[in-house]
Amino acid sequence: MNKRAELDAALARAETNWRKANDDLEKAEAERAKANTAWDKVANERRYAGADRRKAGSIWDRAFPDRRKADADRRHAEAVRDRANAVWDKARADRGVARADWDKARNALDELNSVEGKA
């Protein structure tokens, strides 16, 4: 295999990897948006649930389970959101690496073209 064919193959692989990284990033962005929406919903419900917990006649024993459930829901939503953000960060970094590989392959091919043009 000659040098040009190797560089063309490397460029094709790098472009494929970059496209896959873009797709992964789009999926991660969708999951991140979904997790943020779920967290907003839980946080919003918590704000409005406070008045229900402080009704006259409520006793502490009945109020605590509701609070524990609200806290558990909020912690779960925060964990899902944090995981989604971590996946998004990784996908974004992977896309950057794939782009750098593509740039390197493109530059090597351009350099070969300029060398062959001078010869």
Side-chain angles (χ1 to χ4, degrees), residues 11-29 87-88 90-99 102:
L11 182 62
R13 276 193 308 274
E15 187 172 347
T16 301
N17 290 340
W18 182 76
R19 290 183 191 279
K20 183 184 179 309
N22 265 342
D23 291 342
D24 291 346
L25 182 61
E26 287 176 11
K27 289 176 190 172
E29 284 176 348
V87 169
W88 181 82
K90 184 180 181 323
R92 188 174 164 133
D94 290 347
R95 186 183 69 167
V97 168
R99 179 62 191 208
W102 183 86

Side-chain angles (χ1 to χ4, degrees), residues 12-116:
R13 276 193 308 274
E15 187 172 347
T16 301
N17 290 340
W18 182 76
R19 290 183 191 279
K20 183 184 179 309
N22 265 342
D23 291 342
D24 291 346
L25 182 61
E26 287 176 11
K27 289 176 190 172
E29 284 176 348
E31 285 298 316
R32 184 180 184 211
K34 192 169 94 174
N36 282 332
T37 301
W39 186 85
D40 287 342
K41 181 180 178 219
V42 168
N44 207 18
E45 287 173 355
R46 180 176 181 262
R47 284 187 202 109
Y48 294 116
D52 295 340
R53 289 193 310 254
R54 294 181 184 94
K55 279 191 232 175
S58 292
I59 58 173
W60 285 103
D61 292 337
R62 286 193 311 199
F64 279 132
D66 292 339
R67 288 183 179 159
R68 280 194 296 267
K69 182 182 180 315
D71 287 344
D73 290 346
R74 192 173 66 252
R75 279 192 299 272
H76 175 70
E78 286 174 355
V80 169
R81 187 180 65 163
D82 290 345
R83 259 193 314 275
N85 284 333
V87 169
W88 181 82
D89 289 339
K90 184 180 181 323
R92 188 174 164 133
D94 290 347
R95 186 183 69 167
V97 168
R99 179 62 191 208
D101 290 345
W102 183 86
D103 286 340
K104 191 169 25 171
R106 181 76 247 168
N107 289 337
L109 191 59
D110 288 345
E111 186 177 323
L112 180 65
N113 287 338
S114 68
V115 168
E116 286 180 350

Side-chain angles (χ1 to χ4, degrees), residues 3-16:
K3 185 77 169 172
R4 176 171 298 287
E6 289 175 13
L7 291 175
D8 283 337
L11 182 62
R13 276 193 308 274
E15 187 172 347
T16 301

